[in-house]
């Protein structure tokens, strides 16, 4: 059974840092691209970042570029999101998700973690 | 960025009724379209990818269609467990973008 379990969320002041982790099990982690998707309270879904199966390629939305870093440790089957210079608008539930590549160049997210809440407030 | 516009924002349906949700992309996404269902307090669940491919384990009453910029999700016979919020997502170009969601309730 595929499982994705996030951890590391919490309350943090603006300008500070936080690192999220996502422990994967039930599949060969090193074969899949992975992503972080967030959802602000009572809002819709927003893609944050994607990393390739081997970590060689990363992609970010503009609003987090230069502040967030997605990374992975395939030996530990763990995905990370280092979040620096946090802003109030980063407040959201952060989901770890597995990428499903199809059609040669498109992607969806076929498994999601339960999510971890990040609150940025003074 | 590719904008995804969903309609309607909300709807209610009776048991057994057919439900259709629309999603329009701001440019051609060449069937790079997925649909998700999210229930309150839960993570999203993938229903459809590639515009019309049913994800494993998803009931066959769910179907997707469309091409170019226009896509739709159909539920052929509304069930109690189908209540929730439905999102479309384009996965062709970064940044991947989602529609604002359609809240489906049982009438």
């Amino acid at each position: 059974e595929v499982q994705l379990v996030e951890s590391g969320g919490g309350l943090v002041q603006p300008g500070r840092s936080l690192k999220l982790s996502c422990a994967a099990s039930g599949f060969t982690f090193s074969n899949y691209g992975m992503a972080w998707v967030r959802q602000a309270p009572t809002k819709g879904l927003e893609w944050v970042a994607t990393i390739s199966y081997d970590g060689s390629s990363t992609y970010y939305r503009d609003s987090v570029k230069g502040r967030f870093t997605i990374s992975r440790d395939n030996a530990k089957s763990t995905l990370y999101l280092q979040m620096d210079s946090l802003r109030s608008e980063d407040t959201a539930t952060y989901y770890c998700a597995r990428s499903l590549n199809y059609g040669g160049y498109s992607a969806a997210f076929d498994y999601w973690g339960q999510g971890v809440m990040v609150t940025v407030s003074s | 960025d590719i904008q995804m516009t969903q309609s309607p924002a909300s709807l209610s349906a009776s048991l057994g009724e057919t439900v259709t949700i629309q999603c329009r992309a701001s440019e051609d996404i060449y069937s790079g379209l997925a649909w998700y269902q999210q229930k309150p307090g839960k993570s999203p669940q993938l229903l459809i990818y590639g515009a019309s491919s049913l994800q494993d384990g998803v009931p066959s009453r769910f179907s997707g269609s469309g091409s170019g910029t226009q896509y739709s999700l159909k539920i052929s016979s509304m069930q109690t467990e189908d209540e929730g919020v439905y999102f479309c997502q384009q996965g062709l170009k970064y940044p991947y973008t989602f529609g604002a969601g359609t809240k489906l309730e049982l009438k």
Side-chain angles (χ1 to χ4, degrees):
Chain A
E1 179 194 4
V2 172
Q3 284 199 322
L4 299 170
V5 180
E6 302 96 335
S7 60
L11 173 63
V12 61
Q13 293 179 327
R16 304 298 290 263
S17 299
L18 205 60
K19 187 172 185 176
L20 305 182
S21 298
C22 170
S25 60
F27 65 103
T28 304
F29 183 71
S30 58
N31 285 352
Y32 289 86
M34 298 292 296
W36 290 97
V37 178
R38 68 186 179 185
Q39 187 170 34
T42 71
K43 299 293 185 182
L45 298 166
E46 184 174 79
W47 169 81
V48 175
T50 287
I51 187 167
S52 61
Y53 70 99
D54 61 356
S56 63
S57 298
T58 57
Y59 308 87
Y60 300 91
R61 68 179 303 103
D62 283 349
S63 61
V64 308
K65 208 172 290 184
R67 299 189 299 123
F68 289 12
T69 302
I70 188 172
S71 62
R72 64 191 298 157
D73 185 334
N74 283 347
K76 295 182 178 180
S77 295
T78 302
L79 176 72
Y80 303 101
L81 185 67
Q82 175 68 44
M83 303 184 293
D84 299 324
S85 303
L86 281 161
R87 306 168 180 168
S88 58
E89 55 264 36
D90 295 319
T91 294
T93 295
Y94 284 73
Y95 295 101
C96 160
R98 192 178 81 169
S99 288
L100 169 67
N101 295 320
Y102 62 91
Y105 41 77
S106 294
F109 307 112
D110 60 352
Y111 288 94
W112 299 61
Q114 84 286 356
V116 63
M117 185 68 200
V118 172
T119 303
V120 184
S121 175
S122 54
Chain B
D1 299 0
I2 298 176
Q3 307 302 315
M4 305 301 292
T5 304
Q6 270 185 253
S7 62
S10 65
L11 74 157
S12 60
S14 303
L15 280 175
E17 185 177 343
T18 295
V19 173
T20 301
I21 299 170
Q22 309 282 352
C23 184
R24 184 181 78 248
S26 60
E27 62 183 79
D28 194 331
I29 57 171
Y30 301 95
S31 296
L33 193 282
W35 290 98
Y36 303 85
Q37 176 197 63
Q38 186 176 32
K39 297 185 178 182
K42 299 294 186 181
S43 308
Q45 176 190 356
L46 177 65
L47 302 173
I48 300 284
Y49 63 93
S52 60
S53 295
L54 191 67
Q55 173 67 353
D56 290 347
V58 175
S60 58
R61 64 179 179 275
F62 290 90
S63 63
S65 64
S67 63
T69 62
Q70 302 278 358
Y71 299 88
S72 62
L73 173 71
K74 186 171 83 170
I75 307 172
S76 61
S77 176
M78 175 73 180
Q79 302 298 307
T80 304
E81 60 266 32
D82 297 337
E83 284 191 303
V85 181
Y86 291 80
F87 296 94
C88 61
Q89 173 244 330
Q90 69 81 16
L92 178 67
K93 290 183 181 179
Y94 292 110
Y96 296 151
T97 45
F98 292 84
T102 296
K103 186 174 184 179
L104 175 61
E105 295 178 321
L106 189 63
K107 191 183 294 182

